[in-house]
């Protein structure tokens, strides 16, 4: 590459993963993540504990990311950080660290919307000849513990939310159903594993009837809870006896709900490049549904590597890299935000 290298340090701390990544001229050099096991005992993320763990992790994680990249901090062009949405206490650790670090080095800061980061994870390149990236415009199904959205991605910096959940997110529904079955937290990977051995048509649960491309998962959650309550009256060990079928049927229902609206959006927009992003995109049932849709409807699909589906700083660094080229920097007095949508 001609001229000076563009080297971006990305920092992510929106929930319970502290992550730092380094990208040089659009190529990923390192991506280091410290996850927080402390929440497992509570069946969900405890915000105060998350911020304390971020506080402990942020310096060593950034140090490791720089070391693994073989980059000295003086070589950095800018620091990109997740501004939101997320847990305020968690965000503040990453935002404050980024501000102090960038100010000390005298380099620009770049704020990144976490949701935009998830979508742009599809542009993370691990090598120069890594060309498997979507063309604009493409549709992206963003499904995580906090979001379920269908996004029309027109450019790196131009995204339109076509539909989103009006209540719970898909990942949240999976986690809550897993919790009522006593299966542990986070439920997503547990349900995924059990579902592979179960019958997806063993049980049926309520599906929403919502206009347009919006989603709803709270009815399904309630239907699951009430059905389980009735079954447990007859057989107190019902979950133990039927957990694979329960998991498979739950996963099947959620994937069905997600794909129905996405299919409609693809049909109405005529867009055939379709991507999936966010923590729930690790799910095998959803990945299979994408592959089936590619075969049936001629979609060109984009499924991220597992490490870029859940929260990670590589997606923040790549977003920062694009924003750097637009000179889209931010000032030091910028606050974090806990809630925000894509523009
Ligand atoms: O994107 P993410 O790491 O965090 C945010 O929500 O910001 O997503 C976490 C969500 C959780 O609800 C988790 O249970 C779900 O992704 N998840 C999965 C799988 N792995 C993680 N859901 C279904 N199948 C999986 N394999």
């Amino acid at each position: 590459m001609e001229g000076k290298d563009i080297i971006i340090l990305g920092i992510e701390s929106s929930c319970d993963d502290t992550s730092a990544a380094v990208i040089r001229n659009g190529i990923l050099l390192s991506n280091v993540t410290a996850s927080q096991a402390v929440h497992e005992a509570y069946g969900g993320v405890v915000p105060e504990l998350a911020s304390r763990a971020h506080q402990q992790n942020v310096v060593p994680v950034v140090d490791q990311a720089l070391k693994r990249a073989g980059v000295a901090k003086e070589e950095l062009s800018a620091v990109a950080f997740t501004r939101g949405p997320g847990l305020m206490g968690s965000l503040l650790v990453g935002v404050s660290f980024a501000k102090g670090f960038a100010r000390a080095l005298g380099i620009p800061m770049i704020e990144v919307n976490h949701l935009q980061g998830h979508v742009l994870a599809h542009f993370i390149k691990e090598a120069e000849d890594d060309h498997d990236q979507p063309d604009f415009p493409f549709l992206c199904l963003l499904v995580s513990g906090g979001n379920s959205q269908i996004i029309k991605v027109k450019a790196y910096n131009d995204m339109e939310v076509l539909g989103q959940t009006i209540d719970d997110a898909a990942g949240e529904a999976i986690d809550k159903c897993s919790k009522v079955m006593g299966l542990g937290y986070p439920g997503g990977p547990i349900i995924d594993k059990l579902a592979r051995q179960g019958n997806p048509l063993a049980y049926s649960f309520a599906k929403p009837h919502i206009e347009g491309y919006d989603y709803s998962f709270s009815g399904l959650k309630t239907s699951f809870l009430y059905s389980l309550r009735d079954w447990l009256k007859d057989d107190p060990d019902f979950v133990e006896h039927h957990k694979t079928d329960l998991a498979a049927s739950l996963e099947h229902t959620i994937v069905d709900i997600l794909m129905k609206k996405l299919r409609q959006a693809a049909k109405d927009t005529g867009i055939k490049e379709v991507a999936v992003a966010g923590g729930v995109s690790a799910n095998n049932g959803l990945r299979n549904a994408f592959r089936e849709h590619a075969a049936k409807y001629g979609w060109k699909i984009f499924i991220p590597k597992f490490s870029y589906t859940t929260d990670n700083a590589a997606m923040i660094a790549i977003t920062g890299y694009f924003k750097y080229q637009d000179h889209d920097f931010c000032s030091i007095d910028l606050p974090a935000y806990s809630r925000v949508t894509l523009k």
Side-chain angles (χ1 to χ4, degrees):
M1 178 147 179
E2 298 275 311
K4 199 170 175 293
D5 285 345
I6 300 173
I7 308 180
I8 309 292
L9 169 70
I11 294 172
E12 155 64 31
S13 74
S14 64
C15 191
D16 59 343
D17 292 303
T18 320
S19 187
V22 179
I23 278 185
R24 181 197 284 135
N25 301 330
I27 314 288
L28 184 69
L29 300 181
S30 66
N31 181 41
V32 177
T33 303
S35 301
Q36 306 176 358
V38 64
H39 308 288
E40 277 163 22
Y42 301 93
V45 177
V46 184
E48 175 64 20
L49 296 180
S51 1
R52 290 185 199 191
H54 283 304
Q55 196 81 47
Q56 285 178 347
N57 293 340
V58 69
V59 171
V61 163
V62 168
D63 186 52
Q64 270 301 310
L66 288 169
K67 280 199 177 112
R68 284 190 203 174
V71 163
K73 56 185 186 303
E74 294 75 19
E75 293 177 80
L76 293 172
S77 312
V79 181
F81 62 90
T82 303
R83 182 182 177 195
L87 298 171
M88 187 47 93
S90 291
L91 288 164
L92 283 173
V93 178
V95 171
S96 313
F97 178 87
K99 285 180 178 179
F101 203 58
R103 176 52 73 96
L105 293 167
I107 56 176
M109 285 177 295
I110 301 168
E111 57 137 335
V112 174
N113 179 321
H114 181 79
L115 304 178
Q116 186 186 10
H118 269 303
V119 175
L120 296 186
H122 286 283
F123 296 90
I124 297 168
K125 281 176 133 193
E126 293 182 343
E128 198 69 60
D129 57 357
D130 193 352
H131 294 303
D132 192 24
Q133 291 158 1
D135 286 323
F136 301 115
F138 66 94
L139 293 179
C140 185
L141 176 69
L142 173 54
V143 268
S144 68
N147 297 278
S148 300
Q149 301 186 325
I150 298 176
I151 302 161
K152 182 175 171 185
V153 187
K154 302 174 204 168
Y156 299 119
N157 54 5
D158 188 3
M159 302 184 187
E160 182 188 346
V161 178
L162 300 181
Q164 58 192 319
T165 182
I166 58 166
D167 41 54
D168 290 349
E172 195 177 354
I174 298 176
D175 290 344
K176 285 181 179 165
C177 292
S178 163
K179 193 172 175 181
V180 301
M181 284 195 278
L183 294 179
Y185 175 86
I190 303 169
I191 295 287
D192 191 352
K193 202 167 162 204
L194 289 171
R196 279 181 243 175
Q197 300 145 45
N199 173 6
L201 304 176
Y203 306 104
S204 59
F205 304 108
K207 286 190 190 164
H209 298 281
I210 310 265
E211 288 290 300
Y213 307 121
D214 283 343
Y215 289 119
S216 165
F217 290 99
S218 71
L220 163 66
K221 188 186 66 190
T222 312
S223 152
F224 188 88
L225 182 71
Y226 286 176
S227 303
L228 196 63
R229 200 183 52 186
D230 291 344
W231 293 323
L232 284 169
K233 275 187 204 148
D234 298 331
D235 174 6
D237 294 325
F238 188 85
V239 172
E240 195 46 45
H241 292 150
H242 302 280
K243 60 184 175 193
T244 54
D245 284 349
L246 284 168
S249 302
L250 174 67
E251 183 184 281
H252 178 73
T253 311
I254 290 180
V255 170
D256 235 32
I257 295 170
L258 289 171
M259 295 311 288
K260 189 174 175 201
K261 294 289 172 103
L262 185 62
R263 212 160 44 233
Q264 192 61 45
K267 190 174 168 208
D268 295 348
T269 57
I271 296 174
K272 287 192 177 243
E273 303 233 346
V274 190
V276 61
V280 182
S281 65
N283 182 266
N284 281 286
L286 186 58
R287 287 175 171 239
N288 288 339
F290 260 72
R291 291 186 199 105
E292 282 160 20
H293 278 66
K296 192 163 175 194
Y297 301 102
W299 289 4
K300 187 169 180 207
I301 54 164
F302 297 88
I303 303 177
K305 274 180 77 168
F306 280 106
S307 44
Y308 307 136
T309 57
T310 47
D311 292 345
N312 66 87
M315 68 186 198
I316 304 305
I318 191 69
T319 308
Y321 173 70
F322 295 129
K323 290 185 114 179
Y324 184 91
Q325 291 170 85
D326 291 340
H327 298 280
D328 190 354
F329 304 126
C330 67
S331 66
I332 193 147
D333 56 358
L334 191 91
Y337 45 51
S338 57
R339 287 181 177 274
V340 71
T341 52
L342 281 168
K343 277 175 231 148

